[in-house]
Amino acid sequence: MSLLTNVMDHSLDDGYAEAAARKKAAGESGMPKTLRAKLGLAAGLVLAALVVTVGAAQARVAAPVVAKERQELIDRIDKETTSADKLEGSVDSLRDDVSARQRAALKTSGGSGQADLVSMLSGATAVHGPGVRLVVDDAKEASSGGGDNPRETADFSDTGRVRDRDMQRVVNGLWAAGAEAVSINGQRLTALSAIRAAGDAILVDNKPLVPPYTVLAVGDGKRLSTRFQNGADGLYLHALEDNYGIRATIAVESDLRLPAAPSVIVRTAQPRTEKGTS
């Protein structure tokens, strides 16, 4: 304690105190003595004040110009955003028109029951009927995992998040169990649908989905539910529940309604025509 008390009482080193006392006794001060030195100091102060004044004046003059340029940039961004929104709306309208024409072409191609069947199986027509409702959700205390893309890691299930691969197995299991039409969160699946991941989001045909993931499958409800839960993919889903806390519920429904797919575009396949023999 004596050391601390001494430091507090003598915060200034004795040598500094003695030097200050000698300088004071000699009549020395920090101000310049000669006229030349005083004029130099005055000129330096005037120059410093001049620089500060000019800088302030320039900043004041430039402020309205900067504000004007900023507002012009904001207006330009707003204009381009509005234009992009209009173009996006036009694209969606044209896509809907193309899809409607495709569905109409499938319905009216000969008017046969075969055409209606093809339309339903391809996803071009909205359908309804009995089936199952399967809801899959992340664990209650799910985390986003580590790394830039946790879905690329083998232990992503440890985070309690539902992966794109999990949904792929669920959907494939329902198809294998006898589903005739499947949708996820209102997004109808077709033979060309893709379930992928982008960061922490699951995409179906490049459209992001938000958990919980509601999967509707039209088919023989009880049989579909039993075959799915007893199959390899249903057991895989149960393992996710037991080991990682992922939540899943399945229920048999008497009437499910699935929308048509947004677009059914075939770019490579061609219809095969049988040539008759004479």
Side-chain angles (χ1 to χ4, degrees), residues 73-241:
L73 182 59
I74 293 175
D75 294 341
R76 183 178 177 183
I77 293 174
D78 292 340
K79 182 180 178 180
E80 295 298 332
T81 301
T82 303
S83 178
D85 291 340
K86 290 181 179 178
L87 291 175
E88 185 176 356
S90 177
V91 169
D92 291 338
S93 177
L94 291 173
R95 183 181 292 113
D96 293 340
D97 183 57
V98 170
S99 300
R101 291 175 183 271
Q102 289 175 336
R103 291 191 291 268
L106 284 172
K107 289 181 179 179
T108 59
S109 58
S112 63
Q114 186 69 18
D116 293 336
L117 176 61
V118 171
S119 178
M120 288 187 291
L121 294 179
S122 66
T125 302
V127 297
H128 73 94
V132 297
R133 179 189 301 270
L134 175 62
V135 180
V136 183
D137 199 359
D138 297 335
K140 289 184 178 181
E141 298 181 355
S143 62
S144 60
D148 295 334
N149 191 356
R151 295 182 186 273
E152 296 291 338
T153 62
D155 59 349
F156 178 72
S157 293
D158 295 339
T159 65
R161 298 290 298 274
V162 178
R163 305 169 301 176
D164 56 326
R165 296 193 296 275
D166 301 333
M167 295 308 301
Q168 289 172 4
R169 294 201 59 167
V170 167
V171 170
N172 289 334
L174 289 171
W175 285 124
E180 299 172 1
V182 179
S183 69
I184 304 179
N185 286 13
Q187 181 81 7
R188 180 75 173 273
L189 302 182
T190 70
L192 302 177
S193 295
I195 301 176
R196 294 289 184 267
D200 287 340
I202 294 179
L203 307 182
V204 173
D205 292 337
N206 294 323
K207 293 187 177 180
L209 303 181
V210 178
Y213 307 103
T214 301
V215 184
L216 303 181
V218 172
D220 186 338
K222 293 183 178 179
R223 183 182 180 188
L224 182 59
S225 176
T226 301
R227 292 185 63 181
F228 171 75
Q229 294 187 74
N230 293 336
D233 297 309
L235 296 176
Y236 171 81
L237 183 58
H238 287 313
L240 292 181
E241 295 180 74

Side-chain angles (χ1 to χ4, degrees), residues 55-71:
Q58 289 180 345
R60 185 174 182 180
V61 171
V65 176
V66 174
K68 182 180 179 180
E69 292 177 351
R70 180 175 180 275
Q71 187 59 46

